[in-house]
Amino acid sequence: MKLFVAIVMLLFMPACAMFFLGAYSRKEKTKTGFLYLISVIATAVVTLVLAKGILPEWTIYEVSACAGIAAIVLTFAVALFNKKIKFSVDTVLRTICFISIITAVYSILTYGQARINSDTATATLLVQSQIKHGTYFPKSWNYVNGSIWTIGLAPVVAPFSLLLSNQSLARMLGSALYVLLTVSGIMYMSKRLFRSDMWTLAIPLFLVFLTGENEHILYQGSNTGNMLWLAVNVTLVFLAVNRSRKFFIPYCIIMIAISTAGIRVYAEQIIPMLSALLLAEFGFNHSSDVVERKRIKRLAENAFFVVFPALIGLLFYKGLCSSHSVNNYAAEFSGNGTVFVNSITECSKNLSLYVTNLFHCFGYNGGVELLSLLGIKNLISIATCCLICFVVPFFQWRSIKNEEQEVKFLFGYALVHNAIILVLVVFFGLTTPRYLLSSLFVNVLVSARYMYAHWLKEKTISRVFWTCAFSLAAIIECIVIISASKGWKGVVDANKSFNRYIAERGLDKGYATYWHAYSNSIYSDLGIEYGAFQIRNARLYEYEWLVDSDTFIPEEKTTF
């Protein structure tokens, strides 16, 4: 099996490399085939040397990562030699982008398997509950944070969980696929909205620069879906408003599905989208040959198409809340009971935490030596955060009047989206760093578009500097991410060995605190059923958090 996967990777990676570099040609099939063959042979030789010489304890994951990085570098060299591509800023950025994707997927499948926690495990457990009860929304499942999962990780994890016995691998394959779908969403926005290759900047910034919250982007993937649908929906709404109403059809389908998660979609997408329509129509356009009445009518029609599917989804959500447990707030429409902070002093503290968390999300860590790999990474984190969150958005704001409509639309969306997140953090105390991720993702899209259009495409000497600086920073980020995977297999084997030890003694159902319960369900390959308890006042209580209530029903099993 290992040999089969290795062969597939050695054939697949050069093909992906040629696609990313644009080195294929339908008209010149012979030359393209020859380029592919040379790339495959060169990749195989280099991968074999690395696997046997540098990585003697290689697994299939190391082989795949080596094959991917070798493929893009060698294909770049071969294509350059055969004059299939030119040495340019675009080809360098495409190469860095491909390496970033390989790094992210490798980290998910290795380090991700070694750090599965119970929050990560719940997507697999939901799939099992759906199959057991024969419904997509099991009434015995306990949702939390006022959110009902409709299109998220569970549908992506399901095929792998059902087909593979190795559940830790299955769970991380689901996360990897979710990340790749989000990468596709970024490329879709780049091509359809901006008709440019700004994705070559946006994808690495998303995958390997936001390392402070890798848990929620790469491994657990709990926030990845927000980023995917944000990129897709912004693109679809702009296309529907400015090119063809038919784009409202996929938007409506997606919005109905994601708005069943709860009212949070209004803060993250609906209100910013309406504001973007308003700003694009009136705020950024001081002169127009269309009379005001027609512009207002057009704005009202577009607003209806934006809001109506979200209302349908929220009505469906309210119906589900009446019959399902949603963090014990089933009767509440909002579900999470958000309240104002107690004082202005607390607001000031929250504002400070907001800025601190921005740098944290980009991977800043205290207490590391300056002249070390992590110290250099800290400098990159500080510089990147300042650029993406402050400097580039300021430049974009100054030049917004001269930009095209799609840029104004995205920038208007970003302004309001970031303002909402800032208000939620400062006045409602949502100071957990992961709540900033959607805001940072919007900033990444705005900044990547601006930098690509103004700093990397204009034929000035500065584009060489920015390309080299970005490439070097991305490579260092990739090295840090890859180095974290050291010893991953030993951790996974130890967790699986622990559960085999239990199973061999005839124990098939266990109870533990939340963080120890469901992670072990995955490491036991679902062979042992676990239930989570919490301890209060020296007593045990069922912890009904992201779990099927049937787990706590007494059964004729040997428990521990």
Side-chain angles (χ1 to χ4, degrees), residues 19-91:
F19 169 76
F20 262 79
L21 292 174
Y24 65 92
S25 173
R26 293 181 180 180
K27 296 180 180 179
E28 300 177 335
K29 293 182 179 179
T30 303
K31 289 185 178 180
T32 300
F34 178 74
L35 173 63
Y36 173 69
L37 180 62
I38 296 297
S39 298
V40 168
I41 295 172
T43 300
V45 171
V46 171
T47 304
L48 184 62
V49 171
L50 289 173
K52 292 299 183 181
I54 300 176
L55 300 168
E57 299 296 326
W58 62 277
T59 67
I60 194 60
Y61 309 104
E62 278 75 26
V63 169
S64 299
C66 286
I69 294 174
I72 189 69
V73 174
L74 293 168
T75 302
F76 180 89
V78 174
L80 195 64
F81 179 78
N82 284 276
K83 297 181 180 180
K84 290 292 293 181
I85 59 172
K86 295 180 180 180
F87 188 83
S88 65
V89 165
D90 282 332
T91 52

Side-chain angles (χ1 to χ4, degrees), residues 107-108 111-112 115 171-172 175 214-215 217-221:
S107 182
I108 292 169
Y111 184 69
R115 58 169 294 127
R171 177 61 186 84
M172 287 302 112
S175 288
N214 264 351
E215 171 65 31
I217 296 176
L218 299 183
Y219 312 123
Q220 186 185 139

